Structures are given as C-alpha cells and as structure tokens.
Amino acid sequence: MKSEWSKRIRLWMLLVAALLASLSTAHASIKVVATTSDLADLVQHVGGDKVSVSSIVRGDQNPHFVEVKPSYMMKLKSADLLFMVGMELEMWAPQIIDGSRNSNLKVVDLSKEIDKLEVPTRLDASQGDVHRYGNPHYWLDPRNVRRIVEEIVAALTEASPGDEAVFMKQAAEYLTTLDAATKRWEKTMAPFAGTKIVTFHKSWSYFANWLKLQIADQVEPKPGIPPSPGHTAELMALVRSAGIKVIVVEPFYDASAAEQIARSTGAKVLRLATSIGGVDEAKDYISLMEYNVKTLAEALR
C-alpha cells in the first residue's frame, strides 16, 4: 500500500513538473511572422525554442506581388513581431498589417544597416518597377546575413530581455557555420570571377557583386516589364558576341523568352532559387545558397 502511494506521489509530481515546463515554454515563446521563408529560417536559428515562427511568401512565389488574404491578417493578429525585407519589396504588407488590427505588433525592417545597391537617382514610370531605396534582394549576399542576424537578435531581445544570452549564443553559432560555408562558396566560384551572365530580373545584383560576376543584361528590358521581341533579339546578339553561357531565371518567372535565347545561342537556362523552397534542394538558407553556387559553377565549368 505504501509503495502504491509513493508511485502515485511520484506520478503526480512528474505531471506537475511537465505542466509547469509547458506553461513556462508557452510564456517564453515569442510569436513571430516573417514575410519570406529566408527571414523565417534566420529567426528560427537565432530564437530556437524561444520563438514560434511562420512566413507569408513561399519560396516559389514572386515576393513583389502577393495576393492579400484574410489568413495573413490572422497570422499577424496574435504576433509579437513582423520581420520584413524592406526597401519596398513587400508593397503588399501595409494592407496586411492594417487588417490585423494588432496595435501591439512591432514591425522590424531588416534592411536598415545594409549597404544598398542600385539606389535610383530619378524615378518615373518609364523605368519600370524601380524601388526608391535600391535593390531589395540583399539576402542573396551571405555577407549581409550578419547584419540581418544582428537586427534579429536586437528585436528578439527587446521582446524577451531575459533571453538575450541565448539569442546571442545561437546567433554566434549560426554565423560561424555560415562563415565557413561562405568561404567554401567563394573558393568554388573564384575561377569564374569576371564572368558575364544574363538574368531574368534584377534579383541577382548582390549575389553577383559578392562573387565578382558581371550581369551583362536582363531578359526583362526594365524591372517588371515583359521581354519584347526586339529586346530578345538584342539579347541573342549580346549572348553570342560576349560568349555568355548562362541565363538565370527565378522559379516563378516564365522562362519561354530565356529558352528562346538559349536555343538560338547555345547558352543554358538555369533555374536558381531566390528563397528557401524555390527548389526542392533549398531546405534552409545554407542549402539554398549551396544549391545556387553548385548549380551555377557546374554550368559555367
């Protein structure tokens, strides 16, 4: 009888401990929404089990143009933080933020400390979909991830000051891993420094700047403007004369014009991913960049 009573006491204590642990975890969790899958991945690495993270844009979607849905507003309704790429990539975000009616939501623009490329000197409709603050695809240069992560640490620490040491430790561990991968990618691409490529959209400016590639032109004559027959013919001539081997197209763009150029010139169309989930191999940020570098190097080789 005494043994049975002891068992019940131990079981009761275990149940209480489990309940307290569950309540503690629930209390400690910071609810985060990120606009893109890449930012969600970085937040998860920094926040660990202190955060619950979801994203809005899939990796196979064009992040410039997102249909505003009530489900996105519901995501934000109970969120503590919204992390954004910024630089007018997410022109659709204000409508979702307003629709969430979450007065406690903190919006974090991760572009603040980025050295911005292609900031326009003038703006008019004839230039296509030009972003006032420069090219927003800065996450495709892994050297910018350090600044992104620093902003994430600061925002999470403000939300949960007692966990600052945890966030700092996890951020440092992730950046150590990323730095090692970055050196490997740079070594892989070093033989191709100065090589000219053609891209569909201006998604790859930071990527090319990092790896010392030259973007000779875009399939889009101007950002957001579909390729015309005349521009396509000009690109065919450029690809032939410059000996360009590769035309990079994002997963969500129609590749028919790029394929027409490739058939005419012998160049190869590559589907490189701008975000996690854009291709099956891109499971997280590091595997995203690994896929892009490996695929491009093989094509140029």
Side-chain angles (χ1 to χ4, degrees):
M1 183 73 176
K2 187 175 180 180
S3 175
E4 183 65 27
W5 178 250
S6 297
K7 287 181 181 178
R8 290 182 180 180
I9 290 292
R10 282 199 299 272
L11 179 59
W12 179 81
M13 291 176 68
L14 287 170
L15 289 171
V16 169
L19 177 61
L20 289 173
S22 174
L23 289 173
S24 174
T25 301
H27 179 70
S29 182
I30 306 168
K31 294 181 180 178
V32 176
V33 176
T35 53
T36 70
S37 53
D38 313 288
L39 298 186
D41 179 64
L42 297 176
V43 171
Q44 189 65 69
H45 277 97
V46 174
D49 60 7
K50 303 295 183 181
V51 298
S52 60
V53 189
S54 63
S55 59
I56 294 175
V57 186
R58 300 192 316 269
D60 60 353
Q61 286 181 297
N62 188 339
H64 296 276
F65 305 106
V66 173
E67 180 187 357
V68 174
K69 297 180 180 179
S71 59
Y72 300 156
M73 298 175 189
M74 291 304 297
K75 276 190 177 189
L76 292 187
K77 189 174 184 62
S78 59
D80 301 304
L81 295 167
L82 171 65
F83 286 101
M84 296 178 57
V85 171
M87 296 174 68
E88 296 186 333
L89 179 78
E90 307 106 332
M91 296 289 282
W92 40 268
Q95 188 177 347
I96 296 173
I97 295 167
D98 291 344
S100 73
R101 299 186 182 278
N102 181 354
S103 59
N104 296 317
L105 179 70
K106 180 176 180 182
V107 179
V108 182
D109 181 341
L110 291 169
S111 70
K112 289 186 295 183
E113 299 301 321
I114 299 299
D115 293 330
K116 299 170 179 63
L117 300 179
E118 299 170 2
V119 180
T121 55
R122 67 185 182 91
L123 292 168
D124 60 66
S126 68
Q127 300 303 306
D129 295 332
V130 176
H131 298 279
R132 288 180 294 170
Y133 306 110
N135 189 313
H137 299 273
Y138 58 83
W139 70 91
L140 288 169
D141 180 342
R143 298 172 300 181
N144 285 330
V145 172
R146 180 170 294 275
R147 293 176 179 178
I148 296 171
V149 165
E150 287 170 356
E151 294 290 336
I152 291 171
V153 169
L156 293 182
T157 297
E158 185 177 341
S160 183
D163 292 316
E164 180 178 15
V166 175
F167 301 144
M168 293 285 286
K169 177 177 180 292
Q170 291 174 167
E173 290 172 349
Y174 180 74
L175 290 174
T176 297
T177 302
L178 179 62
D179 286 346
T182 301
K183 289 177 182 176
R184 183 176 69 251
W185 299 328
E186 289 172 348
K187 184 177 180 181
T188 297
M189 291 299 297
F192 310 111
T195 300
K196 292 181 179 180
I197 62 173
V198 168
T199 66
F200 188 93
H201 180 74
K202 287 195 171 186
S203 304
W204 301 97
S205 299
Y206 292 90
F207 182 85
N209 182 62
W210 162 50
L211 294 172
K212 300 178 175 61
L213 302 171
Q214 293 186 45
I215 298 178
D217 206 340
Q218 277 80 35
V219 176
E220 288 182 324
K222 291 175 183 175
I225 305 298
S228 64
H231 181 66
T232 300
E234 290 173 1
L235 278 180
M236 289 177 182
L238 172 65
V239 169
R240 288 194 197 97
S241 64
I244 294 170
K245 296 181 179 180
V246 166
I247 304 169
V248 175
V249 183
E250 296 83 342
F252 41 80
Y253 285 125
D254 180 2
S256 56
E259 288 167 351
Q260 181 184 356
I261 296 166
R263 285 193 300 270
S264 174
T265 63
K268 184 174 183 178
V269 174
L270 291 188
R271 286 286 194 178
L272 300 188
T274 51
S275 286
I276 296 164
V279 293
D280 291 342
E281 293 86 346
K283 307 295 185 186
D284 54 27
Y285 182 80
I286 289 179
S287 60
L288 164 72
M289 299 301 290
E290 185 77 34
Y291 170 82
N292 286 338
V293 168
K294 181 181 177 182
T295 303
L296 182 56
E298 288 176 352
L300 294 176
R301 204 174 280 129

